[in-house]
Amino acid sequence: MPKAGKNIYKRKDGRWEGRYPKHRDFNGKAIYGSVYGRSCTEVKNHLAAIKANPHVEKPCVVTNNHTLTFAHIAKQWLSVIVLKVKPSTYAGYTSALDLHILPSFGEHRIHRLTALEINRFAKEKLECGRADGRGGLSPKTVRDILSIIKSIMDFAWNEKIIASRIITTYPKQYQEAMRVLSRQEQAALETVLTTDINIHKLGILLCLYTGLRIGEVCALLWQDISPEYDMLSVRHTMQRIKNLNDDKSKTKIITDTPKSLRSIRVIPIPTFISPLLRRFSVCNHAHFLGTDNFTYTEPRTMQNHFLKIVKSANIPDANFHALRHTFATRCIEAGVDIKSLSEMLGHANVNITLNRYVHSSFEQKREGINKLERYIGNEG
């Protein structure tokens, strides 16, 4: 195993491993953690970040593995994972731990935690896990929580804190019904949007015809829209996350890269929207949804604007994401090829688009029945 610096080695599997002191046992002996990378430089950067990052746990004295609690190991896991994930993902992990996981398992001795206890916990969350007490969490949310528990337990196993991995049973996840605006609802919405149009109405109209996510349109800058106003570039997303700093605000707004590389994309703009964009255009570095009083419009505010508009259009039970579903559905109905649609939506792969959107609408099924009737009538 070739060595390329203090505690940095090239492994037999081709990866590089760097070791760093995490804490000390009751005899004062250093307990080491490891980071991995595809190159020596990548590992050196990881080790430097661990040394400099304030979230990394300071060396401490522990007794032995049998006294370690789940909360203690979760804290160590967070100190490592913070270097590998986006701030929004890290904030989601801490929220799930604080709200759901640690109240149940925080004081448990980690070596005694069993699959039975974790599965019982999952069942309780499905039945009555909501923080407001109004029912259970969705299967997807419970799966996400269990994934965090699994990652922490795998971390404990890799660090030789527990003797074996725990196999967790994930609840079956059913695809939730999508809210797609009917053509009549879409027409009613467009009537409201184009009457006394303002920048927020224009933003909603743009999402209806490009499939932008709410965080993407909120992060959009005028410089992301071409000078000819015929296409736009998606390069960022905006969201409100838990504030992990020690100031008074519980949450904060961040702008980051989209959820995947495929989400960084270029989307054509319908020609009828271009004149509207010219009317509202301001300096390149300004936010598209900026106003006189605010430099940007955050997703929560944009959602509130949308709810008021759909109410005035007499459209029930629609949230902002229904615009994206509606855009995709109309594209399928219009015969847009799946590859192009998948790229416009920023999906990680075409299968996501196929599984989510390629199904017959009621209108298409009605047309199929009409064709059958005509065929049988001709036969007769």
Side-chain angles (χ1 to χ4, degrees):
M1 183 182 291
K3 187 173 181 179
K6 187 177 181 180
N7 289 332
I8 299 178
Y9 303 88
K10 188 171 184 180
R11 295 161 52 96
K12 291 182 179 179
D13 61 8
R15 293 184 299 163
W16 288 83
E17 176 181 356
R19 301 177 73 231
Y20 63 96
K22 294 176 56 178
H23 52 74
R24 296 184 180 275
D25 63 17
F26 68 98
N27 289 320
K29 181 180 178 182
I31 305 298
Y32 285 85
S34 294
V35 293
Y36 304 90
R38 289 169 292 183
S39 68
C40 180
T41 301
E42 184 178 349
V43 168
K44 285 181 177 179
N45 291 337
H46 278 315
L47 293 174
I50 290 173
K51 185 176 181 180
N53 196 292
H55 290 288
V56 174
E57 189 178 54
K58 304 298 182 183
C60 60
V61 176
V62 298
T63 53
N64 58 64
N65 290 350
H66 286 182
T67 68
L68 294 177
T69 64
F70 184 91
H72 183 91
I73 302 305
K75 187 177 180 181
Q76 291 188 22
W77 174 77
L78 284 173
S79 73
V80 174
I81 207 72
V82 69
L83 306 170
K84 303 177 181 180
V85 299
K86 292 184 176 183
S88 57
T89 302
Y90 183 79
Y93 289 161
T94 60
S95 294
L97 280 164
D98 293 342
L99 190 60
H100 298 290
I101 302 172
L102 294 184
S104 295
F105 298 133
E107 298 305 314
H108 274 53
R109 297 290 184 264
I110 193 163
H111 74 286
R112 293 181 179 176
L113 190 58
T114 65
L116 181 62
E117 290 175 295
I118 295 174
N119 292 337
R120 187 182 299 122
F121 162 83
K123 185 173 183 295
E124 291 174 355
K125 290 297 175 182
L126 287 168
E127 294 174 350
C128 55
R130 286 174 58 100
D132 57 12
R134 291 185 288 181
L137 300 174
S138 70
K140 180 185 183 306
T141 301
V142 174
R143 288 176 68 92
D144 291 342
I145 292 172
L146 290 176
S147 292
I148 296 173
I149 296 175
K150 181 181 183 302
S151 294
I152 294 170
M153 299 302 290
D154 285 349
F155 172 79
W157 181 77
N158 286 325
E159 297 297 315
K160 298 180 174 54
I161 295 168
I162 57 177
S164 60
R165 279 186 164 134
I166 290 180
I167 299 176
T168 305
T169 302
Y170 289 84
K172 188 172 182 179
Q173 184 176 338
Y174 299 94
Q175 184 172 320
E176 297 180 3
M178 295 184 303
R179 176 63 166 101
V180 176
L181 301 181
S182 67
R183 295 184 183 183
Q184 293 76 17
E185 289 175 328
Q186 183 171 345
L189 176 61
E190 291 185 32
T191 298
V192 174
L193 293 175
T194 53
T195 302
D196 297 325
I197 193 167
N198 56 36
I199 193 61
H200 294 120
K201 286 184 176 181
L202 179 56
I204 294 170
L205 186 65
L206 187 65
C207 291
L208 182 61
Y209 278 92
T210 60
L212 288 179
R213 302 177 178 96
I214 189 169
E216 293 170 342
V217 72
C218 289
L220 196 66
L221 303 177
W222 279 104
Q223 67 185 18
D224 297 325
I225 302 173
S226 74
E228 296 79 19
Y229 302 95
D230 62 350
M231 64 180 182
L232 61 85
S233 300
V234 179
R235 298 183 296 176
H236 298 94
T237 187
M238 181 186 294
Q239 55 189 312
R240 181 175 287 277
I241 68 171
K242 182 179 179 181
N243 189 358
L244 301 177
N245 297 324
D246 294 330
D247 52 27
K248 295 180 180 180
S249 178
K250 293 183 178 179
T251 60
K252 64 179 180 180
I253 292 291
I254 66 166
T255 299
D256 202 350
T257 54
K259 60 190 299 185
S260 70
L261 289 177
R262 291 292 183 90
S263 292
I264 300 174
R265 61 201 189 276
V266 176
I267 308 174
I269 298 173
T271 54
F272 82 92
I273 294 182
S274 296
L276 299 174
L277 292 170
R278 293 191 192 96
R279 188 194 308 178
F280 287 91
S281 177
V282 294
C283 67
N284 280 345
H285 298 291
H287 278 88
F288 169 64
L289 294 179
T291 65
D292 293 337
N293 298 322
F294 301 96
T295 57
Y296 59 83
T297 299
E298 68 157 291
R300 185 167 57 184
T301 302
M302 194 61 181
Q303 174 76 359
N304 291 336
H305 283 297
F306 175 77
L307 293 177
K308 290 178 182 177
I309 288 170
V310 295
K311 183 177 181 181
S312 64
N314 295 317
I315 299 173
D317 304 325
N319 60 22
F320 201 96
H321 209 66
L323 298 173
R324 182 171 167 85
H325 293 323
T326 301
F327 165 76
T329 301
R330 293 291 104 85
C331 284
I332 293 295
E333 293 171 353
V336 176
D337 71 276
I338 301 303
K339 177 65 174 175
S340 296
L341 176 58
S342 181
E343 291 180 357
M344 287 190 289
L345 291 171
H347 283 159
N349 57 68
V350 177
N351 287 335
I352 296 175
T353 313
L354 287 168
N355 294 334
R356 194 167 296 176
Y357 295 112
V358 181
H359 51 77
S360 299
S361 66
F362 185 80
E363 289 83 358
Q364 289 172 310
K365 293 172 184 174
R366 171 59 68 190
E367 179 60 28
I369 294 296
N370 292 340
K371 288 180 180 178
L372 176 63
E373 287 182 323
R374 291 192 294 271
Y375 173 76
I376 294 176
N378 291 335
E379 287 290 313

